[in-house]
Amino acid sequence: MTEDKTISVEVVYALPHEQRLMRLLVSEGTTAREALIRSGIPKEYPEVDPDTAKMGIFAQVLGSKGLPPAESYVLQPGDRVEVYRPLIADPKEARKQRAEKAKRMAEKKKGAAGASS
């Protein structure tokens, strides 16, 4: 009988107030999705659905830029599976709102400076 070779990997999930890092020993051939399930993170955080969660390996998003999706990406020794939360706001819209707020603040300061002269 042959023994499965195991590799060491990490699965991480971060919230604004809390970070979870799970170190796992998994069989060679384990996928990123399988490691996420084995980590227990989906049970601990019900908002994490292993079938739809966006994941990456060292900030390289799985399923993009030529990388296979999480269900077929075979982990390598030392890989770090990162589970990404959905964006709360569109980055372009958030940037636009910050620029508008900064413009209003500058106008207020300019108006206050002119009134005191």
Side-chain angles (χ1 to χ4, degrees):
M1 178 156 51
T2 61
E3 196 174 308
D4 281 345
K5 280 186 136 183
T6 59
I7 60 171
S8 177
V9 298
E10 295 179 339
V11 180
V12 296
Y13 181 60
L15 295 166
H17 60 282
E18 175 183 10
Q19 293 79 41
R20 293 290 286 140
L21 183 147
M22 304 294 295
R23 288 188 175 90
L24 304 173
L25 288 176
V26 298
S27 298
E28 281 186 336
T30 298
T31 65
R33 181 182 174 279
E34 292 167 339
L36 171 60
I37 293 167
R38 288 217 28 224
S39 75
I41 288 173
K43 286 184 180 177
E44 198 171 334
Y45 302 94
E47 70 273 16
V48 177
D49 179 354
D51 295 325
T52 59
K54 190 173 183 181
M55 290 182 252
I57 304 294
F58 294 113
Q60 299 299 312
V61 178
L62 294 174
S64 70
K65 298 183 183 175
L67 289 174
E71 63 271 9
S72 56
Y73 179 86
V74 176
L75 295 171
Q76 303 300 309
D79 271 354
R80 178 185 178 105
V81 179
E82 300 162 344
V83 183
Y84 304 126
R85 291 179 289 127
L87 294 175
I88 294 171
D90 175 28
K92 288 181 183 179
E93 184 61 32
R95 208 171 13 255
K96 182 179 172 185
Q97 289 176 2
R98 284 193 306 273
E100 288 172 2
K101 183 178 178 182
K103 183 178 176 183
R104 285 194 305 272
M105 294 300 287
E107 288 171 356
K108 270 187 179 179
K109 285 183 181 180
K110 186 177 177 182
S116 63
S117 302

